[in-house]
Amino acid sequence: MGSSSASAGALLHHVRTGRARSRAELVALTGAARNTVSARVDQLIAAGLLEEGGRGWSTGGRPPTLLRFNSAAGCVLAVDLGVTSVDVAVTDLSAQILATAGHPIDIAEGPRPVLAEVDRLAQQVLAEAGLTPADVCAVGVGVPGPVEFSTGRPSHPPIMPGWHDFPVPSAFGRYGCPVFVDNDVNVMALGEMGVAGSVQDVLVVKVGTGIGCGIIVDGGVYRGAQGSAGDIGHIHVPSADGREVVCRCGQTNCLEAIAGGGALLRDARAAGLPVTTTRDVVERAAQGDGVALELVRHAGRTIGTVLAALVNFFNPHRIVMTGGVAQAGVPLLAGIREAVYGRAMPLAARALEITVSEAPDLSGRIGAALMAIEGHLDEDSVHQALAR
């Protein structure tokens, strides 16, 4: 969306993301005529999407009336579907969580039983927030596999047996609103950008059971030709001891087969640690267990060698680590930084920031909400809403 556009949708976007807080700032930002901006702002106020707040600071003359986005103008459902658990939240139109609930699932049971559980949780959170299905403006769903974004159908997902080509939006028919479905890592990437968005180029790397990467270009998700951009878990890496590790995709020595959460658990048990889940390994590392620390750090180094190549190729402003294994924090980051700064070209690495997400467990829900909100408040939808 060009900043010169002064459509109602564009003006709403500027206020919603904090880029403008008054009619005068909207005029300055868009270069549009003052009366054009005023007329469209009045329409947005009449539609309940903008509100007039107090008075701003004056630069001489009458102080401007402040505008703010009415985030209570509707709500969205946000669904963060994982391999072993699902979280459903209802949020306002600024992605503030009003109510949320989660439950263990097994994604391999297939779409019908899993989406029935999602439906139950959705009704639960709406009831808890005092809302009804009629209040829901849009639904956002993140799933752990590749998705054809335009139809919301998973596409040959390696860890979601029975889900290929299933029309996920059909499970949300009772809400009578648009449903947006994307790969979980793309959704988390949106969550990391937050409501204000970003104009940066960023890699959001999820290290959970598998490994994936959300690619943000100029602040928007980059999906590639078929929607599979960022599938870095299946880049080939040599293993340290020369052994061949078979990945669940059928190839050998994929990054996630050597450094993902499943690999971490496997190697920890082989080293004699009494652990039953990846989370156990991460917790032991957090408590300073030497063996667990070294395993996490080693996984970081392996992931870092792939990220170094991505940094040379993509030259991002920053890399954000998220997902269950990223909750290990410092040792994972140390391994990643060691490899990236050691191998990336100096120019690309010079100003690069590598951080761990501030809320790795929340970014999936916030991102799903933002995807739904962006869809609900895009240019065309706002135009249609005002026409009504």
Side-chain angles (χ1 to χ4, degrees), residues 148-225:
E148 185 180 53
F149 184 69
S150 57
T151 63
R153 293 170 183 255
S155 176
H156 299 286
I159 47 172
M160 299 172 69
W163 288 76
H164 170 64
D165 217 28
F166 185 85
V168 175
S170 68
F172 299 92
R174 75 163 76 229
Y175 300 104
C177 67
V179 180
F180 302 91
V181 186
D182 202 353
N183 170 268
D184 57 352
V185 191
N186 288 349
V187 169
M188 284 179 134
L190 281 178
E192 291 297 336
M193 295 305 103
V195 176
S198 156
V199 289
Q200 291 191 324
D201 300 319
V202 185
L203 295 176
V204 176
V205 181
K206 178 192 179 188
V207 188
T209 308
I211 296 177
C213 177
I215 305 170
I216 299 282
V217 179
D218 286 344
V221 173
Y222 174 80
R223 294 191 176 85

Side-chain angles (χ1 to χ4, degrees), residues 51-65:
E51 302 174 317
E52 294 196 315
R55 295 259 174 204
W57 288 97
S58 170
T59 49
R62 198 165 61 107
T65 306

Side-chain angles (χ1 to χ4, degrees), residues 26-339:
L26 284 169
V27 169
L29 196 62
T30 59
R34 181 175 290 275
N35 51 4
T36 307
V37 168
S38 258
R40 288 187 184 142
V41 165
D42 290 344
Q43 282 183 305
L44 288 165
I45 290 171
L49 288 166
L50 286 183
E51 302 174 317
E52 294 196 315
R55 295 259 174 204
W57 288 97
S58 170
T59 49
R62 198 165 61 107
T65 306
L66 294 182
L67 296 171
R68 60 168 183 259
F69 174 53
N70 175 20
S71 49
C75 69
V76 298
L77 281 172
V79 181
D80 180 14
L81 196 54
V83 177
T84 58
S85 65
V86 61
D87 286 291
V88 179
V90 57
T91 81
D92 68 10
L93 297 183
S94 289
Q96 289 291 318
I97 293 180
L98 305 174
T100 185
H103 206 265
I105 53 150
D106 175 4
I107 200 85
E109 283 186 3
R112 285 189 172 80
V114 169
L115 291 170
E117 180 61 31
V118 169
D119 190 48
R120 188 184 70 76
L121 291 169
Q123 292 181 67
Q124 182 185 324
V125 295
L126 283 172
E128 195 181 313
L131 296 161
T132 68
D135 296 313
V136 178
C137 301
V139 179
V141 186
V143 303
V147 173
E148 185 180 53
F149 184 69
S150 57
T151 63
R153 293 170 183 255
S155 176
H156 299 286
I159 47 172
M160 299 172 69
W163 288 76
H164 170 64
D165 217 28
F166 185 85
V168 175
S170 68
F172 299 92
R174 75 163 76 229
Y175 300 104
C177 67
V179 180
F180 302 91
V181 186
D182 202 353
N183 170 268
D184 57 352
V185 191
N186 288 349
V187 169
M188 284 179 134
L190 281 178
E192 291 297 336
M193 295 305 103
V195 176
S198 156
V199 289
Q200 291 191 324
D201 300 319
V202 185
L203 295 176
V204 176
V205 181
K206 178 192 179 188
V207 188
T209 308
I211 296 177
C213 177
I215 305 170
I216 299 282
V217 179
D218 286 344
V221 173
Y222 174 80
R223 294 191 176 85
Q226 261 75 45
S228 72
D231 198 358
I232 65 168
H234 301 285
I235 290 175
H236 181 271
V237 290
S239 71
D241 49 11
R243 67 192 162 141
E244 293 278 289
V245 183
V246 178
C247 181
R248 60 190 175 193
C249 74
Q251 301 271 20
T252 57
N253 287 18
C254 292
L255 175 62
E256 72 178 42
I258 293 194
L264 200 58
L265 176 60
R266 177 194 67 217
D267 293 347
R269 296 178 77 156
L273 292 183
V275 288
T276 53
T277 64
T278 304
R279 186 179 290 269
D280 294 343
V281 186
V282 169
E283 278 170 3
R284 286 185 87 93
Q287 288 154 11
D289 178 303
V291 178
L293 275 170
E294 188 41 51
L295 285 169
V296 169
R297 190 179 191 124
H298 182 72
R301 281 191 210 106
T302 307
I303 294 164
T305 56
V306 168
L307 293 183
L310 299 182
V311 165
N312 288 341
F313 175 74
F314 181 63
N315 185 204
H317 293 92
R318 55 195 177 104
I319 295 176
V320 183
M321 306 301 302
T322 186
V325 178
Q327 292 176 28
V330 175
L332 182 78
L333 214 49
I336 288 171
R337 285 178 170 152
E338 186 183 318

